Amino acid sequence: PCFATERVETVQGQPGASSMLAQPLDSREIQDIAPDAGTEVTAYFACWLDINRTRKRFPINPGGADGPWADASCRSIQELVRGRHQCLVAEVFFPQDATDPGETPGTSDNLSQRNLAILFSDNPGGPASHRVMHTFEIKPSDLPKIPPNVPIEAVPVRGEKYSGALTHVDHNVRRRTLPDELLVRWWNLPATSEVTLHLGGTDTDEVIRLAGLRLSPAPFTRVDTNTLRLEVAGTTWIPLPGGRQTHIPALLTIQLPDGVTAGTTYRVSVHQVDGRTGRVIGAVEISIPVSKAALILDDEIRDLSVMKHILSTIPPDNRWYPVFKLYVSGLADKVDALGGDAGSVHGNPDGTGDPYTPSTPDDGRHQDVCDLIACLLSERVISAELEKRIDQAGIDLNAVRRCIAGFCRDHDHDDGKPPETAAGRAITAAPPHENAPGDGRPDDDGDGPEPPEDKHGDHAHTD
């Protein structure tokens, strides 16, 4: 939901655990937009992305279920992230013009998506300080896995199912099904940049064989079983294998050459093109500003700390584990190249690099904060006149109180009862006024009042 209504509990054994289908609609975020004949009307809806919270929410493999799930299988939302930048998709939900199943931001004006990765490079620095990396997932082609001894021309024709025996195609009669491809536009990236693409669980020999469907020579070479080295020139087309049920975890690594200048920004975009329709079904834009080590080291340490923590929560047999391990190793190399000490950076969800010790509900620290804030927001401190002025400034004080109440309930009271202050008074708030200026703004989603950090979630991006 990410608005003013608290998330339903999705972890078994927790009070009120239920299916996500029980999530109530957020009536405070449902607004009528008054039309103005002849002109466009702009409306704003607020949301808070609770993606950096440490509370468990969902399993790595939820399957077809809607919850609740076993505690041991669940992770926090941050621990399910597989990179710095996540894609953000927004939907305009209007029942009279519903979004059809299977629609994408490229086919429906009800959906909007932005996936921008901003990755900084050093100048001058050594090779590792010029290296940027981006993780993403790729949908495999809707094709069978092609055995090594079968000619590439024997790929099934469009609409046919693979029965285990491939036959050659009469090109004069039927059109062969083509694989999906990655289209890489290099824009202004220096041609001498070194670029590799690591495709987890994918045989690069099969990619090279599929490249034979194009008349032009493949603009990439094999590095190892899972890695290709890409040529930087114009555009690059990379065919994607099929024959698998899960998405392909990928890591794109770009190392800028010596001589790049601080203040310059390079650009690369990656699109996945559907081999059946020729339509773009996914994309990411990568922006590479060149800066100075002193300006980017702290952010790199912070990212490394969070990613080390995430890596520690990925099972070794998970498809993402080897890719993410390679990713974290590259981040560590960059921290060292920028003048830091990657070995002293511990995995921690808050990005501090300090050793991580999960807090327990009864450690008392949160309650002290709750007592202080509740006192500051109480009628004993805030007079009726001051509350009126706060309201006139556009701040819904009751919404703030509900945020605090939700935060304290979330962290210190699993029994679902409102926490009490040191004076024994429960932290509560009256319902919003009918015409409150804060109506329609986020107040309490039950996961805390903290604003999202500008890293590691979809601060870009997603994403």
Side-chain angles (χ1 to χ4, degrees):
C2 297
F3 293 110
T5 300
E6 183 177 353
R7 282 184 182 268
V8 295
E9 178 58 69
T10 54
V11 180
Q12 294 175 8
Q14 297 297 323
S18 63
S19 166
M20 289 193 297
L21 297 178
Q23 179 69 48
L25 287 176
D26 187 351
S27 60
R28 286 168 289 185
E29 278 294 340
I30 297 175
Q31 301 183 44
D32 291 330
I33 304 175
D36 186 0
T39 60
E40 287 189 350
V41 177
T42 301
Y44 295 90
F45 293 79
C47 70
W48 176 57
L49 303 180
D50 57 346
I51 51 182
N52 280 320
R53 306 296 298 174
T54 57
R55 184 172 178 176
K56 290 183 177 182
R57 288 295 185 188
F58 310 109
I60 292 179
N61 299 307
D66 294 305
W69 295 277
D71 181 276
S73 68
C74 288
R75 304 287 191 274
S76 70
I77 297 176
Q78 185 196 66
E79 290 168 349
L80 297 173
V81 165
R82 296 295 178 258
R84 294 181 175 186
H85 302 272
Q86 302 304 301
C87 174
L88 179 66
V89 179
E91 177 187 13
V92 174
F93 178 72
F94 186 55
Q96 288 84 346
D97 181 23
T99 306
D100 295 327
E103 293 277 19
T104 72
T107 62
S108 172
D109 60 2
N110 289 343
L111 300 173
S112 180
Q113 172 183 343
R114 184 58 172 167
N115 197 357
L116 171 65
I118 303 175
L119 306 169
F120 284 88
S121 168
D122 181 27
N123 171 68
S129 71
H130 291 185
R131 192 176 300 147
V132 299
M133 295 171 290
H134 183 67
T135 54
F136 55 102
E137 273 196 351
I138 304 169
K139 183 184 77 67
S141 294
D142 187 19
L143 292 173
K145 184 176 178 59
I146 304 173
N149 59 341
V150 174
I152 197 65
E153 292 81 4
V155 175
V157 296
R158 189 182 301 271
E160 288 186 351
K161 293 185 177 179
Y162 179 51
S163 61
L166 295 172
T167 57
H168 287 277
V169 175
D170 183 348
H171 297 282
N172 296 321
V173 179
R174 294 176 294 179
R175 182 182 177 188
R176 182 172 60 245
T177 296
L178 297 174
D180 285 11
E181 293 180 285
L182 287 186
L183 167 60
V184 184
R185 289 188 170 98
W186 299 111
W187 301 109
N188 64 336
L189 192 74
T192 53
S193 301
E194 297 181 12
V195 182
T196 60
L197 177 64
H198 184 91
L199 301 171
T202 301
D203 188 348
T204 50
D205 286 337
E206 185 176 359
V207 176
I208 292 174
R209 293 184 65 225
L210 285 172
L213 292 171
R214 285 189 167 272
L215 297 178
S216 57
F220 48 81
T221 55
R222 182 184 187 275
V223 176
D224 57 39
T225 304
N226 305 121
T227 309
L228 297 169
R229 187 178 306 280
L230 312 183
E231 296 179 10
V232 180
T235 58
T236 298
W237 293 83
I238 307 167
L240 300 172
R244 56 186 296 160
Q245 299 300 314
T246 57
H247 288 186
I248 302 170
L251 172 63
L252 182 68
T253 302
I254 300 172
Q255 183 171 304
L256 298 178
D258 293 337
V260 293
T261 306
T264 305
T265 298
Y266 298 104
R267 177 186 171 203
V268 175
S269 57
V270 182
H271 307 266
Q272 180 168 353
V273 180
D274 191 310
R276 296 167 300 174
T277 65
R279 289 183 1 195
V280 173
I281 59 175
V284 59
E285 179 91 6
I286 301 174
S287 176
I288 311 174
V290 180
S291 184
K292 297 288 187 179
L295 301 177
I296 62 178
L297 177 58
D298 287 347
D299 280 348
E300 295 294 332
I301 291 175
R302 185 182 182 200
D303 288 341
L304 176 61
S305 178
V306 172
M307 298 306 158
K308 278 187 173 183
H309 170 73
I310 294 174
L311 178 62
S312 71
T313 69
I314 304 176
D317 60 350
N318 183 270
R319 62 193 171 91
W320 264 103
Y321 184 80
V323 179
F324 211 77
K325 187 176 181 180
L326 183 65
Y327 177 52
V328 171
S329 175
L331 293 178
D333 289 343
K334 186 168 185 177
V335 166
D336 287 338
L338 292 172
D341 180 10
S344 66
V345 179
H346 297 273
N348 196 314
D350 66 10
T352 59
D354 297 331
Y356 176 53
T357 303
S359 60
T360 56
D362 59 350
D363 60 12
R365 289 177 294 176
H366 294 297
Q367 188 59 46
D368 292 339
V369 177
C370 290
D371 290 345
L372 174 61
I373 298 178
C375 179
L376 294 175
L377 295 178
S378 69
E379 289 85 351
R380 290 174 297 174
V381 175
I382 300 180
S383 65
E385 178 62 26
L386 178 56
E387 184 165 352
K388 181 179 179 180
R389 293 183 181 181
I390 292 173
D391 187 71
Q392 291 173 343
I395 300 172
D396 187 344
L397 191 58
N398 278 324
V400 176
R401 287 167 175 157
R402 285 193 294 274
C403 277
I404 300 303
F407 175 84
C408 297
R409 180 179 61 248
D410 225 14
H411 287 78
D412 292 301
H413 290 262
D414 290 336
D415 58 7
K417 298 178 182 178
E420 294 187 348
T421 67
R425 181 170 179 270
I427 302 174
T428 57
H433 304 298
E434 291 183 5
N435 60 347
D439 208 13
R441 295 196 303 270
D443 33 42
D444 176 24
D445 72 352
D447 216 8
E450 301 172 7
E453 297 178 342
D454 63 349
K455 308 252 339 146
H456 315 308
D458 194 300
H459 41 280
H461 19 124
T462 91
D463 268 356

